[in-house]
Amino acid sequence: MKKTLFLSLSLAAIMLFPARTNAQVKRGEWDFRPVITTTNSIYGLLLNGAGAGIQSPWFPNVFNRFGVMQSLKTPEGKAGIKYWDWELRNIAVAYQVAYQSKLTPLGFSFRVGYEKRGLETTLPGDIKQYFNRQTINPTLLLNIRFGNYLNNRINPVLEIGGSYDYVFACKGLYSSTSSVNSGFHGIVGIGFGDTNSHMQYTLRYEQDFYNWFNEDFTPDDGATHPYKGWKSKLGYLSFSVRYGF
């Protein structure tokens, strides 16, 4: 009786699940590793090249970020922005916990880290001014696979989510954290994963859904609302070749 039941359950399992499953289904569902984001694509590509195929949890996922849709408006006019840098003025370091279900298309990643972002601007009147913010960024992303991910080697991937950028230090016209805003940073990404190599190729668009500058800020030097009329619109593209699921 027990033998018959065991055979019946085995046959049912064979019928329910594909006979040939790939390495993606067989591997573990969890991944733990650091994440680095840089705006200098040379640094990023070197790190990505060095880490290609490395599955060690100590080797970070690396994202190359490019500034797009960058604008800063002031009452005197529009400022020019230089974003890409060699001095690592823009870099983020975080630790990530990720999960991908073996038998469903859903997964997620959560990370918490430190980020430094600087804007080298040319204000109206040819005035050079550098703005720098340091933030803590808890980030949650939903990862969705498409297609027959149980058998296919290549599967499209959609990422959607965001972070809350909490400012704890800044430099600019004023160094008070009250002079700048914290807020939501949205992320959406598309790409594909190779289930044999476990590498994932992703292109993301990111945007700050808040103004960097606090227009209601009044400093102790007697100036009244020095950032009144200052409005930023900052969007980013990032590309990564990284270890995935």
Side-chain angles (χ1 to χ4, degrees), residues 74-76 214-217 224-231:
T74 73
E76 291 76 26
N214 181 3
E215 296 186 72
D216 297 325
F217 169 69
T224 302
H225 306 311
Y227 286 134
K228 189 70 175 179
W230 288 52
K231 298 183 184 298

Side-chain angles (χ1 to χ4, degrees), residues 2-31:
K2 290 182 179 179
K3 187 175 181 179
T4 303
L5 179 61
F6 175 77
L7 290 174
S8 299
L9 291 175
S10 300
L11 288 172
I14 291 172
M15 293 175 66
L16 285 172
F17 299 102
R20 182 177 62 86
T21 58
N22 58 36
Q24 183 173 20
V25 176
K26 295 176 183 178
R27 73 179 296 272
E29 297 173 329
W30 292 91
D31 186 56

Side-chain angles (χ1 to χ4, degrees), residues 121-164:
T121 66
T122 303
L123 300 175
D126 201 30
I127 300 171
K128 304 292 184 180
Q129 179 67 52
Y130 176 66
F131 297 95
N132 171 290
R133 302 188 328 153
Q134 299 181 65
T135 59
I136 298 295
N137 310 85
T139 304
L140 179 64
L141 288 172
L142 182 65
N143 192 78
I144 307 172
R145 297 180 296 181
F146 295 91
N148 185 356
Y149 48 84
L150 293 179
N151 291 314
N152 291 349
R153 175 177 176 179
I154 303 298
N155 291 281
V157 175
L158 171 67
E159 296 178 325
I160 187 167
S163 67
Y164 185 80

